[in-house]
Amino acid sequence: MLLPELLRLAAAEDSGPDVGKLIGQFAQYGVVGLIVVLLILGVIVPKYVMTSLTADRDKWREAFEKERDAHQLTREQLAKAEERGDVAVEQGKTLTHLLEELGHRPQVHGSV
């Protein structure tokens, strides 16, 4: 008999915060706030942004690979040119030596 009266008095008395209500509000607004903060910080991004970033990354990777291949081709061509130059120098030395053996004096530019 006393129990219903105590329950009514406890329900009517607002002496402190309602913990259940506070937890419910935090769960409701805290999750939304956390998502907004993560979006602002860039931890999570929308799908259209991620798609754009991925396409941009692929474009730059393709450009890098083309440039790398072009540089490799340039290095190969320079190596071939160096070989040709070395061959030309050796041919010149051989020809000069042959002409000296035959009795010809090589002409040096600038000499009279």
Side-chain angles (χ1 to χ4, degrees):
M1 297 187 204
L2 216 38
L3 190 59
E5 183 66 25
L6 286 175
L7 288 176
R8 187 181 63 76
L9 285 175
E13 185 180 311
D14 283 333
S15 63
D18 187 7
V19 176
K21 187 176 179 181
L22 287 175
I23 291 174
Q25 285 180 345
F26 178 75
Q28 183 179 4
Y29 299 115
V31 173
V32 173
L34 179 66
I35 290 174
V36 168
V37 168
L38 291 176
L39 277 170
I40 289 171
L41 293 177
V43 175
I44 57 175
V45 294
K47 182 177 170 73
Y48 70 91
V49 172
M50 192 63 178
T51 304
S52 174
L53 288 173
T54 304
D56 192 43
R57 179 202 64 199
D58 292 340
K59 181 184 74 170
W60 280 107
R61 179 175 287 150
E62 182 181 339
F64 167 75
E65 289 173 356
K66 285 181 181 179
E67 187 70 19
R68 183 183 58 196
D69 294 341
H71 281 291
Q72 181 61 30
L73 182 62
T74 302
R75 284 190 290 274
E76 290 171 2
Q77 289 175 347
L78 286 173
K80 287 180 184 177
E82 186 177 350
E83 284 180 27
R84 290 180 190 136
D86 291 343
V87 168
V89 167
E90 287 299 319
Q91 285 177 346
K93 287 179 182 179
T94 304
L95 185 60
T96 303
H97 181 70
L98 180 64
L99 288 174
E100 286 175 351
E101 290 291 322
L102 292 174
H104 294 283
R105 285 187 12 188
Q107 291 183 352
V108 179
H109 292 287
S111 65
V112 180

